[in-house]
Amino acid sequence: MRTQVAIIGAGPAGLLLGQLLSRAGIDNVILEKRSLDYVLSRIRAGVLEQGTVEMLHEAGVAKRLAQEGLVHDGFALAFRGTLHRIDLKQLSDKTVTIYGQTEVTRDLVEARQALSRPTIYETDDLALHGIDTDSPYVSFRANGQRHELRCDFIAGCDGSHGISRHSVPTGASRSYERTYPFSWLGLLVDRPPASHELVYANHDRGFALCSMRSTQRSRYYIQVPTEDRVENWSDDKFFDELRRRLPADVADGVTTGPSLEKSVAPLRSFVAEPMRFGRLFLAGDAAHIVPPTGAKGLNLAVSDVHYLFDALHRHYRDNSDAGLATYSARALARVWKAVRFSWWMTGLLHHFPDRDGFDWRIQQAEFDYLAHSRAASTALAENYAGLPY
Ligand code: APR
Ligand code: PHB
């Protein structure tokens, strides 16, 4: 088998890159470890930056997003019962759109099927070869047979547990990491949201978030200890704890119901540099992880793909490798700003079990500053709504 770009991973990064390449007439094959059903059933975040929405339009996959996405002009921060609204529209002249990552993935899968582009699911034993030569290839097993896919370039879009990043020789890559001493317990429920905008709450008992997927489906999170397990949390216990952490009027708006999904996720910041080695280009979670506090994970995958598509397009269309040469530096410049923002927002909103009264007073001062300084709120708004590409 031969293609121009071999894409490892059918998450949003791999699928979006495949879609943009296909529309530009650049041949590509996606290799995915899991089944299509598994890929389509993953529940992830759902806040799209304006730049992400524009990219999905550019890729021709935004029809349902335009109909069903909820455009939000702002969101609220709550600090021990006091609410402060961040008016994104007024402060940054941008909005965010609420549309689940699961739906983005479904739209991309359907668009790929409509173009009849190949995705091979349930691959096994995948390995990258010759990434520092002009003729790389990918070996893998599918349907009980061994295959080799020869290509010009490999896009490593295989997420945080993928193999692409580990194919870079030790010594050629450096990683940076921060783990946080807590996790998020998330619950999805078919009930209208507590508030028409997102509410991020800092409380003595820990962080809480009211989010949504639609006007009829809510997504809630509470901070829990790292070692906590979903079995320890009945739906009733979850809703009781959530309400205790929210300002009274927001808590009153929480409508309980049977959970559709409940899961615990640890919080981590991670960056691997550079994002290119030879003919291998990393994009999305394969290169970096952010804690979910700023809702940047999917948005960063999309901005990486923007730079990578641009680089590959210039290679094939203009015979120029300038974009390929600068891909890693361009992508990382934006990645690090989102890593900083997610780390900062995590620090502002959580209860840190290992910290003392000094840190708590600093959090209070920071919130007070945000509530009273337009400059501080503007900095928050422009990062949350998404920095330019
Ligand atoms: N071979 C082939 N595919 C693989 C392999 C492998 N060895 N390892 C992992 N994969 C697949 C995974 O099964 C998954 O479908 O790669 C895909 C990676 O997708 P995501 O994890 O969704 O990563 P990405 O596309 O970068 O999207 C980033 O997802 O994790 C969230 O917060 C993150 O929202 C962000 C978005
Ligand atoms: C979500 O809706 O799942 C969500 C929203 C905002 C975040 C994180 C997750 O910051």
Side-chain angles (χ1 to χ4, degrees):
M1 266 193 278
R2 177 166 173 89
T3 189
Q4 287 174 301
V5 183
I7 302 174
I8 318 299
L15 286 165
L16 179 60
L17 180 65
Q19 175 70 6
L20 292 165
L21 291 172
S22 300
R23 282 165 66 94
I26 300 167
D27 194 51
N28 62 91
V29 174
I30 301 184
L31 304 174
E32 165 61 48
K33 187 184 179 125
R34 304 290 197 147
S35 67
L36 175 59
D37 284 349
Y38 181 91
V39 167
L40 289 177
S41 64
R42 277 191 295 233
I43 311 266
R44 298 241 175 101
V47 180
L48 309 186
E49 294 174 356
Q50 201 163 302
T52 297
V53 172
E54 284 161 18
M55 280 287 287
L56 294 172
H57 275 283
E58 184 187 327
V61 291
K63 191 162 170 240
R64 203 158 61 93
L65 165 64
Q67 287 162 356
E68 297 174 17
L70 305 175
V71 177
H72 282 197
D73 288 352
F75 66 94
L77 294 175
F79 219 77
R80 276 193 166 170
T82 306
L83 275 172
H84 173 60
R85 181 167 186 267
I86 300 291
D87 191 324
L88 294 171
K89 181 88 184 133
Q90 207 181 77
L91 295 166
S92 70
D93 202 25
K94 286 186 180 161
T95 58
V96 292
T97 301
I98 308 302
Y99 190 70
Q101 182 174 319
T102 314
E103 307 311 315
V104 173
T105 307
R106 178 174 295 282
D107 295 342
L108 284 164
V109 164
E110 283 174 9
R112 190 166 180 86
Q113 284 166 349
L115 291 177
S116 305
R117 305 312 305 161
T119 306
I120 305 177
Y121 288 95
E122 299 183 67
T123 59
D124 209 354
D125 268 344
L126 191 141
L128 312 186
H129 307 271
I131 54 176
D132 53 350
T133 71
D134 286 347
S135 44
Y137 70 97
V138 185
S139 64
F140 61 97
R141 190 179 293 280
N143 302 317
Q145 283 187 324
R146 281 218 68 74
H147 300 272
E148 278 183 9
L149 175 62
R150 304 202 164 264
C151 55
D152 300 334
F153 301 102
I154 299 173
C157 303
D158 47 354
S160 56
H161 302 295
I163 53 102
S164 297
R165 187 175 69 243
H166 303 290
S167 306
V168 176
T170 19
S173 172
R174 171 157 188 204
S175 59
Y176 301 84
E177 185 165 16
R178 174 75 26 111
T179 54
Y180 302 88
F182 37 75
S183 293
W184 278 19
L185 171 64
L187 181 148
L188 191 68
V189 62
D190 266 338
R191 292 287 184 273
S195 158
H196 68 287
E197 290 181 344
L198 271 61
V199 180
Y200 291 83
N202 179 326
H203 188 275
D204 288 355
R205 299 179 64 88
F207 169 80
L209 169 60
C210 303
S211 181
M212 66 194 74
R213 290 289 174 276
S214 68
T215 54
Q216 299 308 317
R217 183 171 284 189
S218 303
R219 179 73 168 159
Y220 295 110
Y221 296 95
I222 54 172
Q223 172 186 349
V224 295
T226 310
E227 63 283 1
D228 214 340
R229 297 162 62 89
V230 71
E231 296 77 40
N232 298 337
W233 291 87
S234 66
D235 291 355
D236 286 346
K237 186 175 167 194
F238 180 97
F239 281 114
D240 285 347
E241 186 60 35
L242 174 72
R243 284 191 172 125
R244 292 174 83 163
R245 298 182 186 188
L246 296 172
D249 49 341
V250 181
D252 288 346
V254 174
T255 316
T256 62
S259 60
L260 301 172
E261 192 260 2
K262 220 167 16 187
S263 53
V264 177
L267 271 70
R268 191 160 80 102
S269 301
F270 175 87
V271 183
E273 293 185 352
M275 286 170 61
R276 173 201 185 168
F277 180 77
R279 292 199 166 228
L280 168 66
F281 294 81
L282 301 176
D285 276 19
H288 41 74
I289 302 290
V290 285
T293 324
K296 291 290 168 227
L298 171 63
N299 294 297
L300 273 188
V302 170
S303 61
D304 288 352
V305 167
H306 166 83
Y307 297 123
L308 184 52
F309 169 65
D310 179 59
L312 291 167
H313 199 198
R314 278 155 70 185
H315 169 85
Y316 288 110
R317 186 193 54 193
D318 308 334
N319 214 8
S320 161
D321 283 351
L324 295 173
T326 55
Y327 166 69
S328 179
R330 285 177 84 197
L332 282 167
R334 192 170 189 280
V335 164
W336 271 110
K337 289 183 205 98
V339 169
R340 183 209 70 81
F341 175 67
S342 307
W343 160 85
W344 172 81
M345 211 164 149
T346 301
L348 174 72
L349 292 167
H350 290 77
H351 174 76
F352 284 74
D354 51 346
R355 292 193 185 168
D356 60 15
F358 178 87
D359 300 284
W360 167 237
R361 296 292 286 151
I362 293 287
Q363 274 187 340
Q364 278 180 304
E366 181 104 50
F367 182 77
D368 199 36
Y369 179 48
L370 275 168
H372 293 99
S373 159
R374 190 180 169 93
S377 288
T378 303
L380 168 52
E382 76 171 356
N383 280 280
Y384 191 88
L387 297 175
Y389 289 179

